Amino acid sequence: MSDANIIVVGVSKKGTEPSGWDETTWPALSRLARDVPEAGIHFQDTTIYNRKKDVDSASGEWFSELLSTTPWFKDTVPNFNLLPKDKLPADVDSATTFTSVCINTALYLPWLASQCLKNGVVIKRGILKHITDAASLHHSGQPADLIVNCTGLGSAKLGGVEDKNVIPARGQVVVVRNEPGVMISTSGCDDGEDEVVYVMQRAAGGGTVLGGSYQKGDWESQPDPNLATRIMKRCVELCPELTGGKGVEALSVIRHAVGLRPLRVNGVRLETERIDDILTVHCYGHGGFGYQSSYGCCAAATKLVDKALASKPKL
């Protein structure tokens, strides 16, 4: 997928484990945006428009916490405010503004890999038919003591896991050169309950991402031209600054893209299991909120790894 940001989507509700992951992640991403420009993250003024009629739609479910005028994260992100009623578009019931971050994943993911390498991680490629095959890939040549399963959508078909609760939530976007200078989104649209509207300007010349869709169970990897047309039309209507009021024709398209979010319908799987006598920590199923919960969820997974290894008999 070609976009990543922090607008608190998914199952993150106050007092839940996912909200704790998000709270832990925000300071980490904020520090990178402030102090580490090579990570490809920057701060963005953000506006979220909420429509009550979207509550029961697929997009409304995805944006559930954003529909609140008092979301749990209002005291976490900077500059949180309610937009006055006289500033709302005609079909919008409420809106919030705050400072968020937007990630240029084309820079951020290689930067993360470089941090792993700097800290002694050995990165290898392999083909796995069964989760336990990973134990034989340890760089030492010895079987691994523990496997961490972060295979995302692959957990639906990987032997030894085969989690039927894992499905794709298809997202389609258009990446353009136009720069609106803001990040803006709505809780839904009238073109379909699994279509959404968002505009995200990525850091470091990464273009602006126009979205999108949240199509559960759809494995189609190729862009739909008709959906792309609707996406561009909706985004320009929502944010005329994209083209300086010149309409859709003034969009400078870089590419069209599709991503399959690794959704687990009954929530993230974060637990320890022994598979064929090999300790395995599962950490997958984050859907569209993997980046926003990444550091917090990683910390929780690390605790499970430490606990599992501490219980392993010493020979």
Side-chain angles (χ1 to χ4, degrees):
M1 195 62 179
S2 59
D3 56 69
N5 66 344
I6 301 298
I7 54 172
V8 191
V9 295
V11 296
S12 180
K13 299 181 185 297
K14 185 175 179 60
T16 64
E17 193 171 32
S19 71
W21 300 335
D22 291 355
E23 284 188 281
T24 300
T25 300
W26 170 257
L29 294 180
S30 181
R31 181 188 69 80
L32 294 177
R34 185 179 60 249
D35 301 330
V36 189
E38 63 269 30
I41 303 175
H42 68 167
F43 292 110
Q44 283 275 269
D45 292 332
T46 303
T47 300
I48 306 296
Y49 291 118
N50 304 316
R51 311 188 316 168
K52 291 180 180 178
K53 63 182 178 181
D54 297 324
V55 170
D56 296 323
S57 68
S59 62
E61 177 187 339
W62 187 36
F63 276 69
S64 57
E65 187 64 15
L66 288 173
L67 290 167
S68 171
T69 55
T70 57
W72 68 261
F73 60 87
K74 67 182 179 64
D75 297 320
T76 300
V77 296
N79 306 315
F80 182 91
N81 287 290
L82 292 179
L83 205 62
K85 291 285 187 182
D86 61 355
K87 301 291 186 182
L88 300 179
D91 63 341
V92 169
D93 296 292
S94 66
T96 55
T97 63
F98 51 92
T99 299
S100 185
V101 295
C102 191
I103 304 171
N104 183 345
T105 52
L107 296 180
Y108 180 59
L109 294 178
W111 178 82
L112 280 180
S114 73
Q115 299 306 295
C116 290
L117 293 169
K118 186 170 72 172
N119 284 280
V121 173
V122 176
I123 299 176
K124 298 179 67 176
R125 288 182 182 270
I127 298 175
L128 309 181
K129 293 184 178 180
H130 194 279
I131 184 66
T132 55
D133 293 346
S136 65
L137 295 178
H138 198 275
H139 65 90
S140 68
Q142 300 298 312
D145 293 320
L146 182 143
I147 297 167
V148 181
N149 173 27
C150 301
T151 55
L153 204 53
S155 288
K157 299 179 180 179
L158 181 61
V161 184
E162 297 171 292
D163 190 336
K164 303 308 179 188
N165 291 307
V166 174
I167 62 172
R170 182 180 182 275
Q172 180 170 324
V173 300
V174 182
V175 185
V176 300
R177 296 179 180 85
N178 311 66
E179 296 187 346
V182 296
M183 190 153 64
I184 188 168
S185 182
T186 68
S187 57
C189 70
D190 295 330
D191 291 331
E193 71 155 23
D194 57 4
E195 296 187 26
V196 292
V197 191
Y198 55 83
V199 176
M200 296 188 289
Q201 182 179 326
R202 300 192 302 183
T208 297
V209 178
L210 311 182
S213 63
Y214 193 74
Q215 299 164 316
K216 291 183 179 180
D218 191 337
W219 289 88
E220 179 55 61
S221 62
Q222 298 304 305
D224 174 354
N226 293 324
L227 176 55
T229 297
R230 294 196 297 274
I231 287 171
M232 291 186 285
K233 180 176 180 292
R234 291 193 299 251
C235 288
V236 170
E237 289 176 352
L238 178 67
C239 184
E241 297 87 349
L242 262 172
T243 60
K246 297 178 182 178
V248 174
E249 294 76 12
L251 287 173
S252 177
V253 176
I254 299 171
R255 67 180 179 277
H256 298 266
V258 171
L260 303 180
R261 304 175 184 92
L263 178 67
R264 189 166 184 261
V265 295
N266 52 350
V268 172
R269 187 180 185 190
L270 182 60
E271 62 182 1
T272 305
E273 180 183 15
R274 188 177 288 275
I275 303 176
D276 293 349
D277 207 36
I278 297 177
L279 286 167
T280 303
V281 172
H282 297 287
C283 184
Y284 64 84
H286 298 77
F289 62 95
Y291 287 95
Q292 78 182 38
S293 65
S294 55
Y295 286 82
C297 202
C298 178
T302 300
K303 288 181 180 179
L304 291 182
V305 169
D306 290 342
K307 183 178 179 180
L309 292 177
S311 66
K312 188 178 177 66
K314 301 292 191 294
L315 299 179

